[in-house]
Amino acid sequence: MIKEYNQAGEKMIILVEELREVLAEELHIYEDMLELTKKKTEIITNGQINDLDNITQIENSLILKLSQFENRREKIVNNIQKQFQIEDELSITDILDCIEDKEDGIKQEMNGMIEKLSSVLKEIKEKNDLNSLLIKDTLEYIELNINLLTSVSEQGTYNNKIKKEQTSQKISLFDTKA
């Protein structure tokens, strides 16, 4: 019985170590995404919209990497659930609660990563919200300028009387008297 428990404990430690590695990679990717999000803010505020495409392409590649790590993380969590015959979905916090006290260093490290990950995700969300607002404001400004330019060209420099006379006469491509 003790041997089975030790083997189960060793398997748990191996799985938790794999989980720690995946979380570290995800955290690194999210930190890179945060930096890109900050660069996007600079690009938008400086009006360098062409550079926005480059940032978006880099973000897309990071998202692909992130999805690979996320799939790996889900597999690890599923393996932990199978190992301990747990049917309920486990959160990382639940898993950390199952770790024995002698593995306290891993628990502390992973708790730190979870807190950092949460902080980075919150900051990314805030920056993305700001970028969305900046883009919306820019588009509204462009639309306003287009409306002003089109209304100026419609009015012209002469009064409306001449314009009304010109618009009432329709121009035809064919001469009906011929």
Side-chain angles (χ1 to χ4, degrees):
M1 181 81 167
I2 294 175
K3 187 175 182 180
E4 287 177 22
Y5 179 77
N6 285 340
Q7 287 176 344
E10 289 174 21
K11 287 181 183 179
M12 177 68 148
I13 303 245
I14 291 169
L15 290 170
V16 168
E17 183 60 33
E18 286 181 39
L19 185 59
R20 186 197 63 75
E21 291 171 9
V22 169
L23 285 177
E25 288 295 328
E26 286 183 340
L27 177 59
H28 180 68
I29 291 171
Y30 277 120
E31 288 172 336
D32 289 348
M33 287 184 76
L34 177 60
E35 291 305 312
L36 288 175
T37 305
K38 290 177 181 178
K39 285 182 184 177
K40 263 201 280 189
T41 304
E42 290 175 27
I43 287 170
I44 294 167
T45 55
N46 293 332
Q48 303 165 325
I49 303 303
N50 294 335
D51 294 339
L52 199 57
D53 187 45
N54 295 334
I55 297 286
T56 303
Q57 289 176 1
I58 295 169
E59 275 182 331
N60 286 338
S61 68
L62 289 176
I63 289 169
L64 288 174
K65 284 182 187 178
L66 192 59
S67 70
Q68 292 170 347
F69 282 109
E70 189 62 21
N71 288 337
R72 191 171 156 209
R73 185 194 61 77
E74 286 176 4
K75 287 178 184 176
I76 293 168
V77 170
N78 286 336
N79 286 338
I80 291 171
Q81 286 179 237
K82 287 177 188 175
Q83 179 70 34
F84 292 97
Q85 300 171 352
I86 299 171
E87 293 182 21
D88 297 333
E89 287 190 31
L90 291 175
S91 69
I92 293 175
T93 306
D94 295 334
I95 293 170
L96 292 178
D97 289 341
C98 295
I99 297 175
E100 294 180 22
D101 291 336
K102 64 182 180 180
E103 304 301 331
D104 202 37
I106 293 174
K107 285 171 88 168
Q108 289 178 351
E109 181 182 1
M110 288 183 67
N111 277 326
M113 277 193 282
I114 291 168
E115 288 175 19
K116 178 73 174 170
L117 190 58
S118 176
S119 170
V120 168
L121 288 172
K122 181 181 176 189
E123 194 171 350
I124 287 173
K125 183 187 179 326
E126 290 170 357
K127 293 290 182 189
N128 279 335
D129 290 346
L130 173 64
N131 289 343
S132 293
L133 184 62
L134 289 171
I135 289 172
K136 181 182 174 195
D137 288 348
T138 301
L139 290 174
E140 287 176 358
Y141 177 74
I142 290 170
E143 185 178 347
L144 175 69
N145 283 330
I146 289 172
N147 289 339
L148 287 173
L149 288 173
T150 55
S151 68
V152 166
S153 66
E154 287 176 0
Q155 291 177 355
T157 56
Y158 298 101
N159 64 22
N160 285 340
K161 184 178 178 184
I162 295 173
K163 182 172 169 94
K164 287 180 185 176
E165 291 174 4
Q166 287 176 345
T167 56
S168 64
Q169 299 174 354
K170 294 189 178 184
I171 299 173
S172 175
L173 295 175
F174 301 101
D175 188 7
T176 56
K177 291 185 179 181

